[in-house]
Amino acid sequence: MATDTTSPAHPAGLRESKKQETRELISDHATRLFIAQGFERTTIVEIALAARVAKKTVTNYFARKEDLALDHQDAFIASLARTVTGRRSGESALAALRRAFDESAAAADPVAGFSGPAFARMIADSPTLSVCLRGLHDQREQALAEALAAAVDATPDDITVQTAAGLLGTVHRILFQRIQDLTLADRPNEEIAGTVTEEAARAFDMLEPALGQYAVA
């Protein structure tokens, strides 16, 4: 009799799929409530009721209420460092980050700031989320510093590494906010992408004399 050698892994796959579905369900209901009534005024209990799960289920999947609203934060924190680590042969960190930003803008990537007007307004109207977002920018810059340090065989606290990470991180922070501001002004994504791509070129050009040959792969 034939034996199905894939069957032991099948239940585990189903469990993971179910967990992901539950996570997305909770996140979707939370976002809807945050947009409708504001982040600060929405409770975990309300989110649990809307998603038809226990309050403990919500907190098991999301340790903080902020995590429900900013559910791309891991990808956001890692984005610049990942670009530097994966830069092409002969490509500097600056060149890789320029290229990656242009690609993100063309794709209207939420991680780059293309969130839609309702979501952007939710963040802008919430002191808690605004502070959290600033913290995520700081964490992203620190992750970038670690990637740059590895690229040039230095320590993350090296002054040159810190300066390079600060300059590159600041440009990305400004561009992210620019995308948010244009989104709040109800500009369509295509127009926003065109505007910030042109502005990014000018911003990155300012860094070229200092960082054009820094951390070349």
Side-chain angles (χ1 to χ4, degrees):
M1 184 170 59
T3 302
D4 183 359
T5 58
T6 64
S7 59
H10 191 53
L14 286 175
R15 283 195 297 272
E16 289 306 311
S17 177
K18 181 61 177 176
K19 285 181 180 179
Q20 185 59 32
E21 288 177 5
T22 301
R23 182 182 179 85
E24 291 176 1
L25 175 70
I26 294 169
S27 178
D28 289 347
H29 280 289
T31 299
R32 177 179 59 79
L33 288 170
F34 292 152
I35 289 173
Q37 58 193 39
F39 177 82
E40 266 76 18
R41 296 200 300 176
T42 301
T43 67
I44 296 295
V45 171
E46 288 176 311
I47 294 168
L49 289 171
R52 297 184 179 182
V53 298
K55 179 183 176 182
K56 185 172 179 57
T57 301
V58 176
T59 56
N60 281 342
Y61 279 93
F62 300 93
R64 305 177 305 161
K65 196 168 82 166
E66 295 94 313
D67 298 337
L68 284 155
L70 302 171
D71 56 348
H72 292 295
Q73 57 186 284
D74 289 343
F76 179 84
I77 291 169
S79 59
L80 304 186
R82 185 181 295 119
T83 296
V84 169
T85 301
R87 68 201 185 286
R88 300 166 181 170
S89 178
E91 191 173 46
S92 69
L94 174 59
L97 289 166
R98 290 182 74 143
R99 173 176 53 79
F101 180 82
D102 288 347
E103 291 170 354
S104 295
D109 187 352
V111 174
F114 290 86
S115 59
F119 195 89
R121 176 55 60 195
M122 176 193 76
I123 294 176
D125 288 345
S126 168
T128 301
L129 291 181
S130 296
V131 169
C132 184
L133 182 58
R134 287 196 291 273
L136 293 177
H137 280 293
D138 291 341
Q139 291 180 61
R140 182 170 70 160
E141 186 176 309
Q142 182 56 40
L144 173 60
E146 292 170 4
L148 289 172
V152 299
D153 194 23
T155 59
D157 62 352
D158 177 88
I159 188 62
T160 303
V161 169
Q162 288 285 315
T163 301
L167 291 170
L168 292 165
T170 296
V171 167
H172 281 84
R173 192 183 299 236
I174 291 168
L175 291 170
F176 183 95
Q177 187 57 52
R178 182 69 169 138
I179 292 169
Q180 291 282 284
D181 291 343
L182 291 170
T183 299
L184 290 171
D186 290 322
R187 304 288 181 82
N189 280 347
E190 184 177 352
E191 180 183 335
I192 295 173
T195 298
V196 298
T197 297
E198 187 275 329
E199 292 177 343
R202 285 189 278 147
F204 287 125
D205 280 348
M206 294 178 68
L207 301 185
E208 194 69 39
L211 298 176
Q213 297 301 313
Y214 183 73
V216 175

